[in-house]
Every structure is written in structure tokens, then in C-alpha cells.
Amino acid sequence: MHEALEDLPSHSRRQSRHALKAIKSASTHMQKQLLMDDYLYLKVHAARKPAENAEVLRHKLEKLVPFLSPVDAEQLSARCAYYLEHIAGLTKQKQLITQSNSLAAKAARQAEQAEELADAVGLVAKHMHKYLQPGQGPQARLRVLAEACNDIEAALAFPKRQGWDDRLDALIHRKANEAPVYGPNHSTPIAKKLNACTQHEVEFLADHYFYQKIVVTWSVGANQGHIEHELQALLPQLHDNKASGLIGLTAAQTAGKAKTNGGL
């Protein structure tokens, strides 16, 4: 084995020897596949063109196959062929991770490494959750989650797994409709202003706040639901029950304006 790897750089020989030892020692087909995938992915470099990365993978395969059992050699050849088939996506993903430090690309890589679809979806959900902000309504949350998911999908190196779209769509809609969670001492800027102003000022400030929440490209129902969601997020932060009632009334009146001023 040592003679066959002599033409490789010293660090590359160490990586190849370590990979061979680990693959031979692994006891299950899946364990071997994960080790093979890690090794092949390691050999894809962001600085190379896809064709150059493909040539490197073919060279590595030629060097390793003679030292594997027929079964392991067949499995490595199949994994290498799969990587070669998607070498453009792999190269792009490596570039996004190493050159742009893309969080979406890192999440895409982790999702593709996951053995089960449920684990992959969980990793994507963890990434998407980072972009949610307290007080966002369902439409805003839906938009943010969809954009985060799209960024991950654009960075995938391999085709999406069977069931990926259905699981992600269900997750996005469920997360979009969850009520925002606040800590016991949390107070948004608008809540602080409303708690500090007089009852006369409350109506004007609340009307202005909710009116700004109308989105002209949304339907009437979407705008009304959005304002209601904003109201429910705001009420627990208010100290005065009378002010809360007045603000609720103002929100309802503003939602009615969506029919003529905002919603389509």
C-alpha cells in the first residue's frame, strides 16, 4: 500500500491510509458509506474547477481500490461515481462554505450527511429558526422561513431526498403559525412606548403602528390575520388593561382599513 501511495503528497498519503484503515474496520454498510463520503468530500477543493475535482476523485479511487475487499471496492466505486455525477454541485457547495462562509451551505452539507430524512429536516429547521424574530406575524414568519429554506436548497450538492419537499413544507407552515415566544421581561419598542404614553396618545400611536403593518401586496384576509397576530403578540407586554382594550379596538379598526388601503 505504501508504495502505491508514494506519488501523493505526505498529508494526502496520511489521509488515504487513515481512510483505508477506517473503512476496513467499519462493521456496517452505512458506516462504511459515511467514511467513504467524508473522504471523497475532503478531496473536493473549492479552488478547483469541477472537472479538476473529478480527475482528483478518479485518481484517488484508482489508488485505494486495490487495497480493499471486492465488496468494499465496489461500494467505494459506486460512491465515487455518485460524487462524480454531482461534482459541479459539490464544488459549488465547497466554495460557498470555504470562500463565503455560507451558513446555508453548511446547513445543506449537514442535512446531506444525516442518515435519516427526519434528522435532515431537523437540521434544516434549526438553521431556519435563527432567522425568526419576536413579534413577527404568520406571513412574515412564512416569508423568512421560505427564504431560509430556499437558500439551503440552492446550496445542496445532491438531489433532494424523497419526501423532502412535503416534510419541509409542513414544517414551514407549522412554524409560521406558531405564536411568538417572549421571555417574562421581554418588551418590544412599541410596547415600551405604549406603556409610557397617556391614554389619549395610545390611540394615535397604536393606529399608526398597526397601519404600518398593512402590506399592499397581501390579500385582505392575510393583512387582517397579520394585524391580529401582531396584536396578540403585543397585548401580554402591556401594563394597563384599559389601554389593552383600546389598542385591541384600534387594531380591529386598522384591519378594516386593509380592505381599501392595503389588501388586494
Side-chain angles (χ1 to χ4, degrees), residues 16-183:
S16 297
R17 290 167 185 162
H18 178 76
L20 280 171
K21 183 178 180 181
I23 291 169
K24 290 178 178 179
S25 301
S27 58
T28 69
H29 182 88
M30 181 54 69
Q31 288 174 346
K32 290 178 184 291
Q33 178 174 309
L34 293 174
L35 290 166
M36 292 173 183
D37 285 355
D38 286 344
Y39 176 75
L40 293 170
Y41 193 79
L42 183 66
K43 297 305 176 183
V44 175
H45 286 197
R48 299 192 192 113
K49 296 179 180 179
E52 294 170 336
N53 275 320
E55 185 58 32
V56 168
L57 292 188
R58 293 189 189 97
H59 181 64
K60 299 298 181 184
L61 180 65
E62 291 175 0
K63 291 294 181 182
L64 296 187
V65 160
F67 300 98
L68 293 170
S69 69
V71 174
D72 288 350
E74 183 179 357
Q75 185 179 359
L76 179 59
S77 297
R79 292 310 293 170
C80 188
Y82 186 62
Y83 269 61
L84 291 172
E85 182 183 354
H86 302 290
I87 196 65
L90 284 160
T91 302
K92 177 185 176 182
Q93 188 183 88
K94 264 295 183 73
Q95 290 170 344
L96 289 170
I97 292 174
T98 60
Q99 297 175 358
S100 304
N101 195 31
S102 168
L103 296 178
K106 292 178 180 178
R109 170 60 181 163
Q110 291 173 347
E112 289 181 322
Q113 284 180 299
E115 292 186 38
E116 302 293 337
L117 176 61
D119 296 329
V121 170
L123 289 164
V124 174
K126 182 179 179 181
H127 171 79
M128 293 192 301
H129 189 76
K130 298 175 183 177
Y131 296 93
L132 294 176
Q133 300 294 328
Q136 288 175 325
Q139 292 289 342
R141 291 167 69 87
L142 181 64
R143 183 173 64 252
V144 168
L145 291 167
E147 288 175 354
C149 184
N150 288 339
D151 288 343
I152 290 177
E153 291 183 344
L156 291 172
F158 302 109
K160 292 182 286 187
R161 307 183 193 201
Q162 184 176 2
W164 170 282
D165 287 334
D166 290 341
R167 294 288 290 271
L168 262 297
D169 286 347
L171 173 70
I172 288 172
H173 283 86
R174 186 175 71 252
K175 288 290 184 182
N177 289 291
E178 286 180 354
V181 178
Y182 295 100

Side-chain angles (χ1 to χ4, degrees), residues 173-195:
H173 283 86
R174 186 175 71 252
K175 288 290 184 182
N177 289 291
E178 286 180 354
V181 178
Y182 295 100
N185 299 317
H186 180 86
S187 183
T188 56
I190 183 61
K192 292 177 181 178
K193 291 180 181 179
L194 289 168
N195 284 326

